Amino acid sequence: MTTIMLPGGLKRLCSSVSGWHEFAFFRVWCSSMDGQESWPEIEKASKEKRRELVLQGAVIDEKISSNGGLCSTIYSLKLLNYLEIIQCPSLTEIHGDIKNLTTLTSLILCRNKLSSIPKTIGNLKSLKVLDISVNNLKALPEEITQLSDLNTLNVSCNNIDSLPDGLCHCTKLSTINISKNDITRFPDDFYRLDLLSTVIASENSIEELSGDVHKLSALKVLDLSNNKLSDIPYELSDCSKLKEINFKGNKLKDKRLEKMVNGCQTKSILDYLRAGGRGKGKGSKQADGDGDKAEGGRNAEKTQTKKQRKQKKKKNEEEEDEVDELNRLVVKVLHVSDNPGAFTVKVANELKDVRPYLVCCVVRGMNFRSGNALKRFLVAQTKLHDDLCGKRTTATIATHDMQLLKGPLMYDARPPPMLKIVPLGRKEMTAVELMRQLQLEAEDQRKQRKRQNVSGLHKYLQLLDGKELYPCLVDAEDHVISFPPITNSEKTKIRKTTKELFLEVTSSTSLQICKEVMDALIVKMAELNKFTSDHREEAGSEGESDAPPVPASDGTTSGELVIQQVRTVDPDGNLKVVYPSKTDLSTDVGNLNVIW
């Protein structure tokens, strides 16, 4: 509360009992004007001496907007180990008093509108996880480099143009995500992070990866896709623990290498770099140390006949074509007009203020029968939910066994007591019963773990806060097959025997995000299907044989996916969207071949 100098008359007024009551009213009024009313969430955390506090969603955002910021008493919770404040567009700054929370080990401030981070963050010496992704940050304070215990740093989806020098002082840094910013280079001392194992730096403007990358001895994952790289240093092949790399979307000088990064496995790319490729690699470096040998090589090249040069060029082109063909991902699109029985989804008007955006399609050709193919697909879907879908806050994916659906479908909005579903792994219940059950389970989790954050479906309960109607996808028999963003129906669950999938992506944000997520999902499915086709595994646990897939009746080849367009229409039958259209699936994946 603001300190106020009282005039003499008011001091005398306070000397009497009645006068004190009047002054007490004055104090309350001042507190109200100061915007520092206590919040029950913070009071509860203080009273129960909680180690964790999660504030998120529309209710908290409204409080922040009304108060002009966070309630200042939050900075007095000195026992906190975990603080999460997310999805609050009204949150534009964090007060410097955050320095008081010296026991914090995890600070999650993603999906807000923060324009800066206070320098006092350097006082949080115990901090291990810092997530300030999806904000409006243009720079990071140098004081971040004072966080010597920091293990995970996520600053993705901001407008940051550089990383602070001195990151090498974060000696325990293991994972860094700087994707979707405007960063042009890594600081020189970046390559001195001995424990750094994961670097996600996609969609920036990085022009060079230094040869010092080999000093990152713990590096396992490196994503530099969609940057401005022209070369990949051969020293990258010296990172002995490297398992996954992504350089897609960079215009490399070595065109064969550019084709390889768009389709080959990590091992093939590293072997190519290790051999020197066509550029200056280890082979040429060794040759530099042997002057006579290098001179002989140059003389031999001078005497090479025109015919020999042509033969070499032709051989190289054939090798490139072979690499290109081996790694090609084929997706064939069937137009809705070519299939009179194609599914149509009708969208109710009531969804306008609930979750209005939807795209759907049908996918054929996925092979889930072999080994861990289904498991890999589910893991990829979860990763898309966590990353591109923003933990289901921007979009949600649902997958169904097409053979278990009965169309046409209706995307509807229903009162919670009227929405009945058989959730995955549960018996039939109403949405009210399901939400209540999930809330009780979430409370049990918090008590058992003595932590406020929860796992599984329980993480998404707040996404429907304040909604009088819940979204759902309903089949022709009025069975709810999907309840986004919470769960799907057990009735249409995909299994190893699933041959045809119905995919849906819903969003409360935009139609474009639905299309982007669906694009990414289909590309990932094509990659997984090719991997399954190229790597024969033992049959799964459901007793299927590992016989070669039977060619589809539509003429598809092994590993090829067929996408059937699906139309969504309004209640009067007017077209809203058809997916995929000619403008969809236009990704930067160079080896993706879409056949219309």
Side-chain angles (χ1 to χ4, degrees):
M1 187 182 71
T2 305
T3 302
I4 300 175
M5 299 301 295
L6 301 177
L10 188 53
K11 287 181 180 178
R12 288 191 296 274
L13 176 65
C14 294
S15 63
S16 67
V17 175
S18 61
W20 173 250
H21 285 304
E22 292 182 47
F23 178 59
F25 172 79
F26 180 76
R27 288 182 73 250
V28 171
W29 177 81
C30 287
S31 176
S32 174
M33 292 299 290
D34 232 6
Q36 299 301 322
E37 304 93 337
S38 60
W39 294 3
E41 299 87 353
I42 298 175
E43 280 189 348
K44 185 176 181 181
S46 177
K47 183 179 179 181
E48 297 180 2
K49 297 183 178 179
R50 288 195 173 184
R51 285 350 189 230
E52 298 192 8
L53 177 62
V54 177
L55 302 174
Q56 60 184 355
V59 174
I60 297 300
D61 185 55
E62 187 176 344
K63 291 183 179 182
I64 292 173
S65 178
S66 300
N67 290 359
L70 286 172
C71 179
S72 62
T73 54
I74 196 172
Y75 303 115
S76 64
L77 301 176
K78 296 185 179 181
L79 296 178
L80 283 183
N81 299 138
Y82 182 98
L83 176 60
E84 178 177 324
I85 307 171
I86 64 173
Q87 302 170 42
C88 297
S90 298
L91 185 61
T92 58
E93 64 176 354
I94 295 293
H95 198 277
D97 284 345
I98 198 169
K99 66 182 180 182
N100 298 330
L101 305 182
T102 54
T103 59
L104 272 185
T105 57
S106 296
L107 179 59
I108 315 297
L109 299 172
C110 61
R111 301 191 176 280
N112 301 301
K113 296 282 182 162
L114 295 174
S115 58
S116 64
I117 298 296
K119 294 181 178 181
T120 54
I121 198 169
N123 291 57
L124 307 182
K125 302 299 183 182
S126 300
L127 203 61
K128 295 181 179 179
V129 177
L130 177 60
D131 185 346
I132 46 179
S133 60
V134 198
N135 280 285
N136 291 332
L137 301 174
K138 294 184 178 180
L140 297 175
E142 292 184 4
E143 286 73 13
I144 278 183
T145 63
Q146 298 173 13
L147 303 175
S148 56
D149 278 352
L150 194 64
N151 173 272
T152 301
L153 176 62
N154 186 351
V155 298
S156 61
C157 302
N158 280 287
N159 302 305
I160 300 167
D161 57 12
S162 65
L163 295 174
D165 291 325
L167 271 179
C168 62
H169 299 304
C170 301
T171 55
K172 297 182 181 179
L173 192 61
S174 171
T175 300
I176 184 169
N177 187 341
I178 58 174
S179 60
K180 297 185 179 180
N181 278 287
D182 301 316
I183 294 169
T184 57
R185 59 180 293 273
F186 292 112
D188 293 337
D189 63 351
F190 180 81
Y191 302 100
R192 291 162 55 190
L193 292 165
D194 296 335
L195 299 181
L196 193 61
S197 63
T198 301
V199 177
I200 309 298
S202 58
E203 298 187 49
N204 279 282
S205 300
I206 297 171
E207 298 177 350
E208 180 185 13
L209 179 64
S210 170
D212 288 340
V213 69
H214 75 276
K215 296 179 181 179
L216 300 176
S217 55
L219 190 62
K220 295 180 180 179
V221 177
L222 176 62
D223 187 348
L224 278 165
S225 58
N226 299 310
N227 275 280
K228 296 183 178 180
L229 296 173
S230 57
D231 292 297
I232 301 176
Y234 73 86
E235 290 92 344
L236 183 66
S237 62
D238 289 332
C239 296
S240 58
K241 295 184 178 180
L242 195 57
K243 301 296 181 185
E244 182 181 338
I245 58 176
N246 188 353
F247 288 96
K248 296 176 182 177
N250 287 285
K251 295 183 179 179
L252 304 178
K253 293 178 181 178
D254 186 335
K255 294 306 176 184
R256 185 178 182 187
L257 180 58
E258 184 174 314
K259 287 187 176 183
M260 291 183 73
V261 300
N262 283 327
C264 288
Q265 299 295 317
T266 295
K267 184 179 182 301
S268 301
I269 298 169
L270 294 180
D271 286 346
Y272 182 81
L273 292 172
R274 194 174 288 115
R278 294 184 182 176
K280 191 171 183 179
K282 287 186 177 180
S284 59
K285 185 176 182 181
Q286 291 168 354
D288 288 343
D290 190 343
D292 294 336
K293 198 170 183 179
E295 185 65 29
R298 284 191 290 273
N299 290 336
E301 187 175 348
K302 288 179 181 179
T303 60
Q304 192 177 37
T305 65
K306 184 176 181 181
K307 183 177 179 180
Q308 288 174 321
R309 287 196 297 270
K310 284 185 176 180
Q311 288 176 339
K312 185 176 180 181
K313 181 179 179 182
K314 182 179 180 181
K315 183 180 179 181
N316 288 337
E317 288 175 348
E318 289 174 350
E319 288 177 350
E320 289 180 7
D321 292 341
E322 183 179 355
V323 170
D324 192 28
E325 188 61 34
L326 285 173
N327 294 287
R328 188 178 298 278
L329 304 174
V330 180
V331 172
K332 182 178 180 181
V333 178
L334 297 183
H335 197 275
V336 67
S337 61
D338 297 330
N339 185 1
F343 263 34
T344 297
V345 183
K346 188 172 291 186
V347 180
N349 291 330
E350 291 79 6
L351 285 156
K352 181 179 180 182
D353 300 319
V354 181
R355 195 177 184 87
Y357 305 107
L358 167 78
V359 295
C360 305
C361 67
V362 176
V363 177
R364 305 187 189 106
M366 281 297 289
N367 176 14
F368 291 139
R369 298 168 68 92
S370 299
N372 292 319
L374 178 58
K375 182 179 179 181
R376 284 193 292 269
F377 172 71
L378 296 176
V379 168
Q381 182 179 333
T382 299
K383 192 172 188 302
L384 280 173
H385 266 148
D386 289 343
D387 298 340
L388 189 56
C389 296
K391 297 184 177 179
R392 304 197 191 188
T393 57
T394 56
T396 303
I397 301 166
T399 58
H400 309 274
D401 189 324
M402 183 68 180
Q403 301 302 317
L404 303 176
L405 293 183
K406 294 184 180 180
L409 303 181
M410 177 75 177
Y411 185 40
D412 203 2
R414 298 185 175 182
M418 303 297 293
L419 194 162
K420 282 189 175 183
I421 186 172
V422 182
L424 290 171
R426 300 172 189 261
K427 64 179 183 179
E428 186 178 52
M429 60 185 73
T430 67
V432 173
E433 293 168 335
L434 175 60
M435 298 297 278
R436 185 184 299 121
Q437 191 175 102
L438 291 173
Q439 286 165 354
L440 291 173
E441 291 172 3
E443 286 301 318
D444 287 341
Q445 280 191 22
R446 293 187 182 101
K447 290 176 182 177
Q448 291 173 10
R449 302 178 183 182
K450 297 182 179 179
R451 300 175 60 179
Q452 192 171 349
N453 59 324
V454 292
S455 60
L457 297 180
H458 313 93
K459 297 184 292 185
Y460 312 119
L461 295 178
Q462 82 287 346
L463 297 179
L464 292 175
D465 281 352
K467 301 293 185 185
E468 295 181 1
L469 299 174
Y470 285 172
C472 58
L473 191 62
V474 185
D475 70 6
E477 297 182 346
D478 203 41
H479 294 143
V480 174
I481 64 170
S482 176
F483 172 26
I486 304 300
T487 187
N488 295 354
S489 171
E490 181 72 24
K491 292 182 177 181
T492 57
K493 176 182 176 180
I494 62 171
R495 294 174 171 81
K496 281 182 160 298
T497 52
T498 299
K499 298 178 181 179
E500 194 173 5
L501 292 90
F502 183 85
L503 307 181
E504 59 164 290
V505 177
T506 61
S507 173
S508 59
T509 306
S510 73
L511 181 63
Q512 185 58 34
I513 190 65
C514 288
K515 290 189 168 193
E516 290 174 3
V517 170
M518 188 69 88
D519 284 356
L521 177 61
I522 289 174
V523 169
K524 192 63 183 177
M525 290 173 72
E527 292 174 349
L528 291 173
N529 218 37
K530 178 164 179 52
F531 180 88
T532 301
S533 177
D534 293 346
H535 300 77
R536 289 180 60 82
E537 301 171 284
E538 293 183 1
S541 59
E542 296 183 18
E544 306 90 343
S545 66
D546 197 28
V550 178
S553 58
D554 53 21
T556 62
T557 58
S558 177
E560 178 180 309
L561 292 185
V562 175
I563 313 297
Q564 172 67 62
Q565 288 181 325
V566 171
R567 300 166 71 246
T568 61
V569 299
D570 66 17
D572 296 324
N574 300 311
L575 181 66
K576 292 176 71 70
V577 65
V578 60
Y579 182 91
S581 68
K582 287 290 182 72
T583 59
D584 300 317
L585 291 172
S586 55
T587 69
D588 294 324
V589 181
N591 61 326
L592 179 66
N593 184 23
V594 181
I595 303 172
W596 293 88

